[in-house]
Amino acid sequence: FRASAVDLFRYSAVHRLAHRVHYDRRYATEVEGYPDLLVHGPLVATHLAALAWDCGADRAPRPLAYEIRARAPLYVDTDAELRAGAVED
């Protein structure tokens, strides 16, 4: 998974997310002190949910719920490995 600046801007617009650290590079770096634009946690969660759904495509049941935990920031144009797997109830 690799989010571009365009992906972040569009996600912000569609979901009405106004925090500038996701689409205004100058603000993110000069005001907030981040090295670059931050990727939205919900954008990563959306991709993880899609991955989990796709992993269950050939067997039932597909996921009904999922849980994620943000452990570190993810920045624009940075590769991230997404993993999904089944767990016992």
Side-chain angles (χ1 to χ4, degrees), residues 7-83:
D7 294 328
L8 300 183
F9 179 80
R10 288 178 177 165
Y11 195 83
S12 291
V14 168
H15 293 278
R16 304 180 90 186
L17 301 170
H19 201 315
R20 292 169 61 183
V21 296
H22 302 297
Y23 61 85
D24 183 340
R25 183 170 274 119
R26 185 172 176 204
Y27 177 83
T29 59
E30 294 179 13
V31 175
E32 296 288 342
Y34 293 112
D36 211 333
L37 296 173
L38 284 172
V39 176
H40 306 79
L43 176 58
V44 176
T46 299
H47 282 278
L48 282 168
L51 175 62
W53 184 265
D54 289 345
C55 287
D58 60 342
R59 58 194 172 282
R62 286 186 163 161
L64 299 175
Y66 68 98
E67 180 179 317
I68 67 164
R69 180 179 304 152
R71 294 185 171 192
L74 179 59
Y75 299 102
V76 69
D77 295 324
T78 301
D79 291 329
E81 182 178 348
L82 303 183
R83 299 179 193 179

